[in-house]
Amino acid sequence: MSENRKPLLGFVSKLPSGTALGNSGKTHCPLCLGLFKAPRLLPCLHTVCTTCLEQLEPFSVVDSRGGDSDTSSEGSIFQELKPRSLQSQIGILCPVCDAEVDLPMGGVKALTIDHLAVNDVMLESLRGESQGLVCDLCNDREVEKRCQTCKANLCHFCCQAHRRQKKTTYHTMVDLKDLKGCSRIGKPILCPVHPAEELRLFCEFCDRPVCWDCVVGEHREHPCDFTGNVIQKHGDCVWELLKGTQPHVEALEEALAQINIMNSALQKRVEAVAADVRTFSEGYIKAIEEHQDKLLKQLEDIRAQKENSLQLQKAQLEQLLADMRTGVEFTEHLLTSGSDLEILITKGVAVERLRKLNKVQYSARPGVNDKIRFCPQEKAGQCHGYEIYGTINTKEVDPAKCVLQGEDLHRAREKQTASFTLLCKDAAGEIMGRGGDNIQVAIVPKDKRDSPVRTMVQDNKDGTYYISYTPKEPGVYTVWVCIKEQHVQGSPFTVTVRRKHRPHPGVFHCCTFCSSGGQKTARCACGGTMPGGYLGCGHGYKGHPGRPHWSCCGKFNEKSECTWTGGQSAPRSLLRTVAL
């Protein structure tokens, strides 16, 4: 086994642009925002300072995987596998992505050190973008030189001591200012088990870097080789995974771009729709306000009209009352204070006046009412292209003027739905033109007043009401139709319910000979016969009515009800005729 250090150009050249080693630029902690100090790499590939991770609040998690969780650490490979059972572990949340991180047995300090971040911090400090580097040996003074052999950053004092030691006398020292163009000046990575030894080899069995002491000790029987010899194979594996992941990155970037485009389109669409809503609302509000002014003006006109009518009626009644009082007072004074002769002389004038006053017609009730209501559900037409609702209605339904209409008003069939219409009008006989009135309908048989028929009242919203019912038995029924507990015109009235319509069991034909196909035994209820032994009717022969008729009952109306009683005397052949 010889150390064959091959350059990594073959592996590095395969990496996509922008991902070359030492070019990550991760130098500041996302928590403290300062330069990384002992940066630790979390399983989610975010890097945080060790002290910052130690300040995070841990939580307890239960691990049922039977061993260590999937947390990469330098010391975890030396821990023995635990038995497969439920184990309580301590975890933290990544401060960047909130991913759960199961801490290894050694805690935060057992997590993997991010050596790339360490190198980036050193480069940034070297370029003068931050504070100076501290000597790796004394950890006190600023660095002046770097030992290329030991990969250690040294101050002036430690550099002199480094050269005086026999073992390090011939090590190459370089000024830090000469390293500003380098991409890597990281420290040597030491073995966590043997801190004095550098990790130079790789154990294939344990899949981890090891030092010489590890090879001669715990990994004695394991296949090991120098890192430079195995980097190509393991780098290719990582590269294959990277190539498999890169399309997902591109797809996700494309998806995010599409989301951004859609979000931009969504915002524009929302703004456009919002503008349409505002335009519509402003127009609608303007139309409603205009309709409001129109309704208020209409209401004021109604008030003025009704008030003028009341004032006129009031003035007429006051004048009539004054005339009545004058006549009464004068007549009383005449009868109580006048002499017989005075009464007889004045009697004619007083009687004439009183008779005239008694003949004056007047109404003891106000000539108008206060029946004014707002109907918000009624359509009021359009205003500026908008459908407007809400009308002021002064009409009041007058039950005495309401009319009942319909063919089934006074007739019905058992177990068949019958209906009629109520047309509501006001006191002037005008159609109401609106619905909403409380209509009471009751239909009861005369002989069974405790068994009313169920009725349905449908408000047509135009001043008419459709009333339907289904009587179960034949007989005479009484119908009450009331509005505001007052009977409408024509109520109550009676309805005669007849038995269910009887269909014709025969055929509607011109004659028996034609409908039966010339059968001699076929008969007809019209009573006609034909010579030659034919028992049914025929055109132009005796008894034929001369027009189409039913074979079962002889009726001429095709849609009439059958009156055949079905008695024993009726021959069965009346029902056997065949319709051609």
Side-chain angles (χ1 to χ4, degrees), residues 257-411:
Q258 293 297 327
I259 288 176
N260 291 333
I261 294 174
M262 182 56 66
N263 185 53
S264 177
L266 175 63
Q267 295 300 326
K268 293 180 179 178
R269 185 58 185 162
V270 168
E271 292 174 0
V273 173
D276 293 341
V277 171
R278 283 190 288 270
T279 302
F280 175 82
S281 301
E282 291 170 359
Y284 210 166
I285 291 173
K286 182 178 179 181
I288 291 176
E289 290 176 347
E290 184 174 326
H291 184 59
Q292 169 189 284
D293 296 340
K294 180 180 178 181
L295 290 177
L296 293 178
K297 184 178 182 304
Q298 179 184 355
L299 183 62
E300 180 61 24
D301 294 341
I302 293 173
R303 183 200 65 79
Q305 179 183 359
K306 287 181 175 286
E307 194 173 68
N308 290 338
S309 298
L310 289 174
Q311 292 298 329
L312 178 60
Q313 184 181 12
K314 178 181 178 183
Q316 292 174 346
L317 292 178
E318 287 177 347
Q319 183 62 45
L320 180 61
L321 177 60
D323 294 343
M324 291 284 186
R325 284 177 176 171
T326 300
V328 169
E329 290 174 357
F330 178 84
T331 305
E332 287 180 347
H333 178 68
L334 176 63
L335 294 175
T336 56
S337 302
S339 63
D340 296 342
L341 183 59
E342 292 173 341
I343 293 175
L344 293 175
I345 294 173
T346 315
K347 174 181 73 70
V349 177
V351 169
E352 181 65 24
R353 180 59 175 168
L354 290 178
R355 285 178 178 174
K356 187 176 181 180
L357 291 174
N358 289 335
K359 291 180 180 180
V360 174
Q361 299 291 332
Y362 64 91
S363 175
R365 295 182 179 181
V368 296
N369 54 41
D370 61 347
K371 301 299 183 181
I372 305 174
R373 69 171 184 170
F374 176 61
C375 305
Q377 303 299 328
E378 289 190 11
K379 291 184 178 181
Q382 289 191 344
C383 182
H384 300 299
Y386 297 93
E387 191 72 33
I388 301 298
Y389 291 82
T391 60
I392 293 179
N393 200 313
T394 58
K395 291 183 178 181
E396 187 69 15
V397 63
D398 186 353
K401 300 291 185 177
C402 297
V403 180
L404 295 170
Q405 301 172 338
E407 295 181 358
D408 299 336
L409 194 59
H410 296 286
R411 64 184 182 184

Side-chain angles (χ1 to χ4, degrees), residues 480-496:
W480 287 270
V481 181
C482 299
I483 300 178
K484 296 187 297 186
E485 298 182 355
Q486 298 181 29
H487 284 283
V488 300
Q489 183 180 353
S491 175
F493 61 94
T494 59
V495 175
T496 301

Side-chain angles (χ1 to χ4, degrees), residues 10 103 140 145 198 208 267 359 386 437:
L103 294 179
D140 187 20
K145 295 182 179 293
E198 184 178 352
R208 64 176 298 271
Q267 295 300 326
K359 291 180 180 180
Y386 297 93
D437 294 305

Side-chain angles (χ1 to χ4, degrees), residues 474-541:
V476 179
Y477 289 72
T478 302
V479 181
W480 287 270
V481 181
C482 299
I483 300 178
K484 296 187 297 186
E485 298 182 355
Q486 298 181 29
H487 284 283
V488 300
Q489 183 180 353
S491 175
F493 61 94
T494 59
V495 175
T496 301
V497 178
R498 295 187 293 172
R499 294 191 178 274
K500 192 174 181 181
H501 181 80
R502 296 180 61 217
H504 292 273
V507 294
F508 191 72
H509 62 183
C510 59
C511 69
T512 306
F513 183 84
C514 294
S515 62
S516 65
Q519 295 182 15
K520 290 186 176 183
T521 57
R523 295 173 180 265
C524 183
C526 69
T529 59
M530 291 176 59
Y534 288 92
L535 302 180
C537 63
H539 293 289
Y541 291 97

